[in-house]
Amino acid sequence: MLDKGKISGLQMALLLYPAIMATFFLTLPSSTAYYARNDMWMTGILSAFFGVLVIYIATKLHELFPGKTIIQQSEHIIGVLPGKVIGFLFFFYSIHVAGLITRMYAEFVTGQFFFKTPLLLIIALMVLLASIAVRGGIEVMARCAVIFTPIFIFPLLLLLLLFPDLELHNIFPVLSRGILPVLQATALPQAWVSELFFISFFLPSLNSPAKGRKWGNITLAAVLLSIIYVNLITLFLLGPDAANKTYPVLVTFRYISVYGIFENLESLLLAMWIFGNFIKICVFLYVAVVSFAQVLRLSDYRPVVFPMGILTIVFSFWGIPDASVLGEYIRYVGPFEIPAVMLLIPFLLLLIARMRRSGTAKK
Amino acid sequence: MKISIKSCILLSLLVFLEGCWDRTELNDLALVTAMSFDKGEHNEIITTVQIVIPQNQGSGGSSGGVSGGAPHKTTIRSGAGVNISDSLSKLQQKTPRKLFWGQCKIFIFSEDIAKTGIRDEFDFLARHPQPRERANIFVSKGKAAQTLELFPPIENSSSEVLQKLTDFKIGYKVTLQELSKMLKGEAGAAAIPIVLILPKAESAEPFQTIPYVMGTALFKKDKMISQISGKTTHGVKWILNEVDEFTVTFKVAGNEGLVSLKPVKAKVKLLPQIVDGKWKMKIQVKATGSIIQNGTAMDSTNPALLKKMETAFEQDIKVRIEQALIEVQHKNKTDILGFAEAFHRKFPQQWEKNKERWDELFPGVEVSIDVAASILRSGLINAPGGIPEDEVVAK
């Protein structure tokens, strides 16, 4: 491993939780409500399956090749050259998604709060900050996560203040249109949950790698609970209107009002959005940088961090002319692209590794 | 060397971290407290905003010298355009400060706009990032702008008056988000409270009065079709399970005088049934109240007499609900009562099949009302006050 730093299981969980939730939970209820309507909260339960699967694959691969990331593992499993192809795939995928996330983050900030500030400035400042953190190494990132992730999670609890406005009966009728719309709606959360495969890049840095799966599953549980929670609150507040909002969670935050004193809480949402996305962009940038360095067998990954940052900025504009293209990508491409890279390829690698292991054992 | 590079970076950060692009100075803002939409002579939209005059916001002590009474705390300004956005840009041309919506919690549509449909305007309010989802929506009789031009004697602005009146929960209230839900909902109907101008007191200056809320405008899809009175609105609120702190006054059979209860609280359940293809709705009401005025000669501490009062109370609730049903269900045939959602929840299959013809089905839904009411306590005195002991009916 290039990075000699060590992190604890809890720190890994705190890094991964916003890495999955940050961009996604703001728009999650509308995209799930689009298909599943009032059954949207079930999508969280169904995506658990995918989460358990990717964590199992990542930890199993790590058991077979301890101290190695998926990039190095694939070279061991299918040979140097094909392994490098997969390594590059991971690199391109993560830098491309890092760009995408940065754009989603900036789109929300400029579209709802800073109307005049140029998009590029918001993107560039965030990427600069993330690059500095990534350059500091995994321990620096982990410590950032310890401070920021609680700040990211806490405002979600404030949604409980909406209680007098929640209409619990919005949940009925349950499954009136069958299970199919729910499965369709699960496409998106399952894709995001598949990103938990990134623990593959953190397992080698864990101070007790044996606990990797446990902490992976704890992260998964936290993510799923949050998905169900956010979906339910939105459903109870907005009902049939949830699918029609660009940022349903923004609406729920704006709706909080306690005796007319405690209100206008959306600035809090903006703050948590920045903290969460900072961690998320860090994680994706880190994965991109580490994969790049490992594929090319660099002796140090630090020199490539800032160039990768610039690439991230490029990817955040490249091919995304407007918000509707971004939305199209999230709705139609993401559900296939993410599991293909995060679930399918690792799964095949594990399969091949198992077969070769048993083959050599027989000999 | 290294230190100088680092300090250069730090200094350059200062430039970026200020957020100069989106800075907002209070001195450059016009605080909008309410907004109204009227229809002009040539079908254009006239948007009127009520703006706070910051100089006049003091407690009034120092500005008492101004002749002609207290200085006005708000002013209005309007702009006309082909739609809201256009009229707002025209309005901004006449306002030297940037319109700030953060405190704008009142939106008023004039009746003529409501009658031609509010879809267009509603899209703006729901899409624009500035209007708050919790803002209250009203329909005004007559010109909506007039409501904003009033100078209430007690409160700072007419928008504050409306805000406080809706907080009482006595009238009907609708927020932007609730309206959005109604317009999206299964029933295709909406209801918005109506705002009127209270005739001013004789001694008051011109325009020195308040707007108040009375009655409800009924909408089919996005068009206002008619209105119901304040009394019917109360009946509707019973069906919607929004009864809180009501005052109920009724006559007890065989007795002179009236009994008043307050606060009356209630739990109302809508229980839909489909029997042999017939759609039925059972409205189950459980109400409680305390006596605050007893104009009859009956002693309410006697359980038998209290029972009589309770029966009269139940009958009164039943009549209120029935009258609301006559107005809303039979006369206007618009489902603001939540029947559609209730049927959808309980009978999803039948609902999917029949939702297209809900407009025909709704007036034919057989409604039965089942009331269980009780009077919990009788206030500070027991026997009726103000009459001699021997005139009290104790049995």
Side-chain angles (χ1 to χ4, degrees), chain A residues 280-296:
Chain A
K280 179 160 189 166
I281 293 165
C282 277
V283 168
F284 276 78
L285 193 62
Y286 177 79
V287 167
V289 166
V290 166
S291 356
F292 184 77
Q294 286 182 343
V295 170
L296 298 180

Side-chain angles (χ1 to χ4, degrees), chain B residues 161-204:
Chain B
V161 171
L162 285 176
Q163 186 71 40
K164 290 199 168 165
L165 282 176
T166 51
D167 282 348
F168 283 143
K169 294 183 180 172
I170 293 171
Y172 189 66
K173 94 175 223 190
V174 167
T175 65
L176 182 56
Q177 180 53 45
E178 281 160 355
L179 180 63
S180 172
K181 242 190 311 193
M182 285 195 259
L183 293 174
K184 265 258 140 49
E186 304 277 5
I192 300 179
I194 293 176
V195 53
L196 298 167
I197 294 171
L198 195 71
K200 77 176 187 71
E202 258 177 56
S203 63

Side-chain angles (χ1 to χ4, degrees), chain A residues 6 18 37 97 104 117 130 137 187 253 270 273 283 295 297 342:
Chain A
K6 287 283 172 220
R37 294 194 213 164
V97 175
M104 273 173 80
T117 314
F253 266 90
L270 180 67
W273 178 248
V283 168
V295 170
R297 305 239 165 117
M342 299 294 214

Side-chain angles (χ1 to χ4, degrees), chain B residues 116 119 132 143 170 219 227 254 258 279-280 318 344:
Chain B
T116 50
R119 202 211 76 86
R132 309 197 65 81
K143 285 260 174 264
I170 293 171
F219 283 68
Q227 67 178 80
L258 299 165
W279 294 45
K280 291 179 181 175
K318 223 172 177 172
H344 178 207

Side-chain angles (χ1 to χ4, degrees), chain B residues 52-109:
Chain B
V52 170
I53 306 174
Q55 291 85 341
N56 296 351
Q57 290 306 303
S59 52
S62 58
S63 54
V66 182
S67 61
H72 294 148
K73 291 182 170 166
T74 54
T75 182
I76 61 165
R77 203 149 297 180
S78 26
V82 285
N83 63 12
I84 295 189
S85 325
D86 188 37
S87 60
L88 273 175
S89 73
K90 301 279 161 56
L91 176 60
Q92 185 72 72
Q93 287 174 7
K94 300 180 208 161
T95 317
R97 294 181 171 205
K98 196 171 179 322
L99 296 178
F100 176 77
W101 302 51
Q103 304 296 322
C104 180
K105 286 175 183 161
I106 306 282
F107 293 104
I108 306 173
F109 292 102

Side-chain angles (χ1 to χ4, degrees), chain A residues 19-20 23-24 50 54 89-90 93-94 96-98 100-101 104 187-198 280 284 329-347:
Chain A
I20 290 156
T23 34
F24 143 77
F50 294 88
V54 291
L89 188 79
F90 263 91
Y93 166 77
S94 47
H96 146 72
V97 175
L100 211 72
I101 298 159
M104 273 173 80
L188 198 63
Q190 63 80 20
W192 256 257
V193 167
S194 308
E195 284 178 355
L196 270 176
F197 183 74
F198 272 172
K280 179 160 189 166
F284 276 78
Y329 172 84
I330 293 163
R331 193 164 275 171
Y332 299 114
V333 185
F336 299 100
E337 185 195 18
I338 301 171
V341 179
M342 299 294 214
L343 182 63
L344 194 63
I345 291 177
F347 177 69

